[in-house]
Amino acid sequence: MAKQHSLTPNTSSTPSAIDNIHLADDLCIRQLKQVWFCRSLLFCNGARRLAKERFHQDEIPDLLELDENQFEDKKPSTLFKTIKKQAKQLIDITIIRQGPLFTNLNQINHHFGLSEIETNIILFATLIELDSAYGNCYDLYGSLSNRDFYPFLANVLNVTSKQITDVFNKEGLLNQSGLLKLHTSSREVDQKFDLLKSFCNALDTPQQTIESLFSDFIMTAPEAILEPQHFKHIEKDYSRLSKYIQVVCKDKIKGANILIYGPPGTGKTQWVRTLVKELKIKLYEISVEDTEGDILSGKERVTACQLAQKLLEKGKHQALLFDEIEDLFQTDMFSQLIGNSNRSSHTNKGWINLLLENNAVPTFWISNDITNMDKAFLRRFDLVFELSVPPHSVRKRMLIESLKKTNVSDKWIDRISHLEHLPPAIINRATRVNEIIGESNANLIEEHLEKIISNTLKAMGHQHQAINPVTSSFYDPSLINTKAPLDKISKGLKNSRTGRLCFYGPPGTGKSAYARYLAEYLEIPLIAKRASDIIDCYLGNTEKNIANIFEQATKEKGLLLLDEADSFLRDRKNSQHSWETTQVNELLVQMENFEGIFICSTNLMNDLDAAALRRFDFKLEFTYLKSEQAWSLLKGFLGDAVNNLSSNKKSKIKKQLAAIQLLTPGDFATIKRKLTLLDELDNVELFVKELQQEVNFKNENSSRAIGFSAEF
């Protein structure tokens, strides 16, 4: 006949109703521990093992409700009979399951549809996890192989081995939901169960809802802080993703996965939050850390993703966001994450593919870098979007919006907006830091903001120094010495918005400066690149970088300037390595497909590939200044210092200047910097003398490049 343990009243005082509830809860858990351990003693040869043991866990006599002295100085056969008799009595107990642990398990059962066996397995694993002393009691059984563990657990829980095998099948609910898995490589009973970190503590604590039970792993996404208009620069992608998600949520289509990648801080997560807010879809996110601030491991986050799919599958108009997945989809890494280091790569890929194909809730996967992601995984995503740093116009608008209450100049904003790698997150963070500092002086505010932005970009390995863009007030295209009709070409480019130009000639003759002026004249961004920005020591990366700059120019609708183009357009007949040819080929292909304005500048025209030259609409030679141009440039640089000279002095200086050969605009800029440092910028004679010295340093090549050619 089953017997029911009653509560022993406190002799010192009468317990309150709450105390009685707690006592009942504790008694229930203790009884479960006793029953399951005693079953192991009776049906897994544990009683005989324990009788022969000279040493045992201190918890065991207490579980058996035996005095410690009953284990001492007794023959194994006598002790065996005592243990067996007591165990038989203890397994014949009626247990009233009550308390937070069982209330929470009932919530899980109701939501996930767990069987009684699955519930008891979770309960058994939880009791072992929560009470290490109880788990240590099972050390009695030593090392158990996977083959031995299933019948052992079946005897403990009073079910068949086949039922246990079915429960732990890879298609089983426990495995599919991520609620509980087995450590197949562990051999001790208390190390066999793989439960999410802190899940057991949550189970043992009163929870109001099923969502609060899993709040360490899955949380409601924070409210979006941006609006749809902030994503005008990706309007087509935004619209495409919006239509897709609406249909997927409405029709509850399985296996819907969206990958969004790009540099940190470009607004990937905010894009998702903004879009689902607009569509009135409830968004959940996989946590990066638990409520105590401990970082969740990659394995725990993957398991949490499985759990979230099962948790949310019955709901409507819901989506899931899994951020920072950089390392999760590398084959070797995933082997470690899912705890199957002994499995083959093929098996692991199958496991991941299953996760991507059968998810019930549409999932957004966010990554800063997908370079090392296995291509077998990439093709499993329905939609893949790259969210790069916004184009110049958007960066400028964001700076203006973020700093509208800050005392900074329009000129400063324009200069900073030309930092190509400046994402929205850095802009917002720099603004927030400046507000904390509380500076009111405009110059100091600009200095603080620029330093904050510069340091962050530098740490990220990007260009971090803002350069003042060339403006028409400081530049006169008439001071360029070329036979080409620059005015006519400029107007033609303004109308057509497409063209390929090659600027060639000696250093300093104004090739790059004119390209900058042209971008301003056309009112489009300038994307200026040097060979050093593109050439990479790793095979194939230079070609990728070439493709990237053309893609950037297309997105920003800008003028692409490639300085030092001879590094990429050398004659392929002289190539000594295959990669030299592939770099030229890649540039030619990109030129053919590019619909914007592309300008190459080079000092070494004779070395360029003939096929490359044919692809340029114009080949414009920039050569040394004429005497009248040099005089105009001198007056432009020195202003009043020249105008205040006497007529005789002006005539003398003009003759001296005309006698200097091979002058370029770059020479004037060099001498201006030099005399500014010496505080001699008003010394016209010294300026001309220094120009002569500068020219003397040149080692002019007597051979001249080919002349101007253009087709109209």
Side-chain angles (χ1 to χ4, degrees):
M1 179 178 177
K3 64 177 181 177
Q4 183 172 332
H5 282 213
S6 60
L7 301 178
T8 303
N10 190 325
T11 56
S12 60
S13 62
T14 303
S16 67
I18 293 177
D19 290 335
N20 277 334
I21 291 173
H22 289 163
L23 287 170
D25 295 350
D26 293 343
L27 178 61
C28 170
I29 291 173
R30 174 178 168 80
Q31 289 173 337
L32 269 175
K33 292 177 181 177
Q34 285 180 314
V35 168
W36 284 336
F37 183 67
C38 287
R39 286 193 62 83
S40 75
L41 294 176
L42 293 172
F43 305 113
C44 302
N45 202 29
R48 196 172 300 280
R49 287 172 178 263
L50 183 57
K52 292 180 179 180
E53 286 277 354
R54 284 289 180 183
F55 303 100
H56 55 260
Q57 298 294 330
D58 294 338
E59 180 86 357
I60 290 179
D62 182 56
L63 277 174
L64 292 174
E65 298 185 1
L66 295 173
D67 292 333
E68 184 67 42
N69 58 17
Q70 290 181 269
F71 279 78
E72 297 177 358
D73 303 325
K74 283 195 173 184
K75 293 180 180 179
S77 58
T78 304
L79 183 55
F80 170 72
K81 291 177 182 179
T82 301
I83 293 170
K84 193 171 182 180
K85 179 181 178 181
Q86 189 68 4
K88 284 182 178 180
Q89 291 178 348
L90 290 174
I91 65 170
D92 192 22
I93 296 174
T94 300
I95 302 174
I96 302 174
R97 297 192 177 193
Q98 63 183 58
L101 180 58
F102 302 102
T103 301
N104 292 330
L105 276 173
N106 285 336
Q107 285 197 74
I108 293 176
N109 291 350
H110 177 73
H111 195 88
F112 288 87
L114 296 179
S115 67
E116 182 181 356
I117 298 174
E118 290 166 333
T119 303
N120 280 334
I121 290 174
I122 292 176
L123 186 54
F124 180 63
T126 300
L127 295 181
I128 287 178
E129 177 71 21
L130 290 175
D131 186 353
S132 59
Y134 177 62
N136 291 338
C137 292
Y138 290 95
D139 289 349
L140 175 70
Y141 298 96
S143 177
L144 292 177
S145 67
N146 295 330
R147 185 176 181 180
D148 294 333
F149 179 70
Y150 285 0
F152 170 85
L153 187 58
N155 283 323
V156 169
L157 301 181
N158 196 20
V159 295
T160 67
S161 294
K162 184 180 183 307
Q163 287 174 307
I164 295 294
T165 303
D166 291 343
V167 164
F168 285 116
N169 187 286
K170 67 178 182 178
E171 303 296 335
L173 184 55
L174 288 185
N175 187 64
Q176 290 287 310
S177 67
L179 284 168
L180 184 146
K181 299 177 184 178
L182 287 183
H183 282 303
T184 55
S185 57
S186 298
R187 301 180 73 88
E188 291 76 23
V189 173
D190 61 339
Q191 300 296 320
K192 278 287 186 182
F193 301 104
D194 183 10
L195 288 159
L196 276 170
K197 175 183 174 184
S198 75
F199 173 57
C200 294
N201 289 328
L203 268 179
D204 200 33
T205 306
Q207 304 289 343
Q208 294 297 317
T209 64
I210 190 75
E211 289 183 3
S212 66
L213 183 58
F214 297 108
S215 60
D216 268 8
F217 320 106
I218 309 152
M219 63 179 185
T220 303
E223 189 82 2
I225 60 175
L226 299 179
E227 299 294 333
Q229 61 263 27
H230 289 104
F231 297 94
K232 284 289 185 182
H233 59 292
I234 54 166
E235 189 172 7
K236 291 183 179 179
D237 284 344
Y238 190 102
S239 176
R240 188 177 298 114
L241 179 55
S242 178
K243 291 176 182 177
Y244 172 81
I245 287 297
Q246 287 183 73
V247 174
V248 165
C249 287
K250 177 178 175 290
D251 298 340
K252 300 199 72 172
I253 298 173
K254 287 191 173 184
N257 293 280
I258 304 98
L259 174 64
I260 302 175
Y261 70 97
T266 51
K268 300 182 292 296
T269 303
Q270 282 300 321
W271 177 16
V272 176
R273 291 176 182 171
T274 301
L275 184 142
V276 297
K277 178 184 177 182
E278 183 185 25
L279 299 178
K280 295 181 173 57
I281 294 171
K282 189 168 184 181
L283 182 67
Y284 294 85
E285 295 185 9
I286 302 299
S287 301
V288 177
E289 58 183 37
D290 61 24
T291 51
E292 296 180 357
D294 293 330
I295 300 297
L296 296 178
S297 67
K299 175 184 174 183
E300 288 168 329
R301 298 185 72 219
V302 170
T303 303
C305 183
Q306 282 184 280
L307 182 61
Q309 295 295 338
K310 286 294 180 182
L311 182 66
L312 304 175
E313 68 177 349
K314 295 180 181 178
K316 294 182 179 180
H317 302 292
Q318 298 178 130
L320 185 65
L321 173 66
F322 198 147
D323 208 343
E324 301 179 18
I325 66 165
E326 283 68 55
D327 298 327
L328 299 185
F329 284 90
Q330 299 177 42
T331 304
D332 294 339
M333 179 64 71
F334 228 101
S335 301
Q336 302 170 28
L337 293 179
I338 64 176
N340 289 298
S341 56
N342 294 328
R343 290 189 177 188
S344 68
S345 172
H346 177 75
T347 303
N348 290 322
K349 282 187 178 181
W351 192 94
I352 302 165
N353 292 338
L354 194 65
L355 178 66
L356 291 174
E357 291 173 355
N358 295 334
N359 52 304
V361 181
T363 304
F364 297 93
W365 305 79
I366 309 294
S367 177
N368 295 330
D369 183 11
I370 62 169
T371 305
N372 296 319
M373 188 180 288
D374 195 303
K375 290 181 176 60
F377 305 147
L378 286 174
R379 66 183 179 83
R380 301 284 175 175
F381 293 100
D382 293 348
L383 293 172
V384 178
F385 298 101
E386 180 184 12
L387 190 59
S388 54
V389 174
H392 168 259
S393 59
V394 177
R395 295 196 300 271
K396 187 171 182 178
R397 188 174 71 243
M398 287 179 171
L399 280 163
I400 293 172
E401 183 176 329
S402 182
L403 299 169
K404 58 187 174 184
K405 297 181 181 179
T406 307
N407 188 15
V408 293
S409 67
D410 293 341
K411 182 179 178 182
W412 182 87
I413 286 179
D414 186 56
R415 186 166 62 87
I416 297 299
S417 68
H418 282 83
L419 286 168
E420 292 181 3
H421 299 284
L422 180 60
I426 294 180
I427 295 172
N428 295 332
R429 189 168 294 112
T431 304
R432 183 175 65 86
V433 172
N434 181 71
E435 289 173 353
I436 293 172
I437 294 173
E439 184 58 61
S440 58
N441 181 278
N443 291 332
L444 288 177
I445 289 174
E446 291 178 358
E447 181 183 334
H448 287 323
L449 286 170
E450 188 161 353
K451 195 64 178 177
I452 294 166
I453 291 171
S454 173
N455 287 346
T456 303
L457 290 177
K458 183 179 180 181
M460 295 171 67
H462 298 313
Q463 173 194 343
H464 57 280
Q465 293 181 334
I467 301 172
N468 282 312
V470 175
T471 60
S472 57
S473 59
F474 298 98
Y475 183 82
D476 185 354
S478 68
L479 299 180
I480 295 240
N481 187 13
T482 178
K483 297 177 182 178
L486 293 182
D487 287 345
K488 192 171 183 178
I489 291 173
S490 299
K491 289 177 182 178
L493 291 173
K494 194 161 192 174
N495 292 329
S496 67
R497 295 288 166 170
T498 183
R500 308 174 202 147
L501 299 86
C502 179
F503 294 172
Y504 69 97
T509 49
K511 300 182 292 296
S512 300
Y514 181 70
R516 291 184 171 87
Y517 163 80
L518 191 57
E520 185 193 80
Y521 169 76
L522 298 174
E523 297 180 323
I524 59 176
L526 175 72
I527 295 94
K529 300 292 181 180
R530 295 174 179 268
S532 56
D533 299 325
I534 301 170
I535 293 175
D536 194 292
C537 60
Y538 292 103
L539 191 64
N541 280 2
T542 299
E543 289 84 344
K544 289 180 182 178
N545 292 338
I546 291 172
N548 288 339
I549 64 170
F550 279 92
E551 182 179 358
Q552 179 188 353
T554 299
K555 287 181 178 179
E556 299 202 18
K557 298 179 180 178
L559 185 156
L560 178 57
L561 168 64
L562 180 57
D563 265 329
E564 307 163 7
D566 43 276
S567 300
F568 304 102
L569 292 179
R570 288 193 183 95
D571 196 329
R572 284 169 289 183
K573 295 177 183 178
N574 301 323
S575 297
Q576 297 181 355
H577 305 283
S578 60
W579 50 263
E580 293 177 298
T581 300
T582 58
Q583 288 177 9
V584 176
N585 292 341
E586 180 63 31
L587 186 55
L588 295 182
V589 169
Q590 293 297 333
M591 286 173 59
E592 289 283 358
N593 296 329
F594 184 56
E595 297 180 355
I597 298 173
F598 174 55
I599 297 176
C600 278
S601 71
T602 178
N603 304 327
L604 305 171
M605 190 64 168
N606 291 334
D607 294 338
L608 299 193
D609 188 272
L613 289 175
R614 285 198 303 271
R615 284 170 167 79
F616 288 105
D617 304 322
F618 300 100
K619 293 169 274 289
L620 312 183
E621 182 182 18
F622 288 63
T623 188
Y624 301 106
L625 292 169
K626 298 175 182 177
S627 58
E628 60 270 21
Q629 289 176 317
W631 175 248
S632 296
L633 202 55
L634 183 69
K635 291 191 294 182
F637 269 84
L638 300 185
D640 291 342
V642 174
N643 294 331
N644 293 334
L645 293 174
S646 65
S647 298
N648 290 337
K649 198 72 170 175
K650 282 183 183 179
S651 179
K652 180 181 177 182
I653 293 294
K654 194 171 184 179
K655 288 180 180 179
Q656 289 176 343
L657 189 63
I660 303 175
Q661 301 297 309
L662 311 180
L663 274 175
T664 69
D667 297 329
F668 282 81
T670 299
I671 302 308
K672 180 181 179 181
R673 290 194 302 270
K674 182 176 182 179
L675 295 191
T676 299
L677 290 174
L678 298 174
D679 196 22
E680 291 278 2
L681 196 55
D682 58 348
N683 191 332
V684 182
E685 290 180 326
L686 181 60
F687 198 104
V688 175
K689 181 179 179 182
E690 290 294 336
L691 281 174
Q692 181 64 66
Q693 290 293 326
E694 187 68 21
V695 169
N696 291 340
F697 282 118
K698 295 181 180 181
N699 181 19
E700 172 65 5
N701 190 331
S702 58
S703 63
R704 298 298 299 270
I706 64 175
F708 163 71
S709 69
E711 297 178 8
F712 296 97

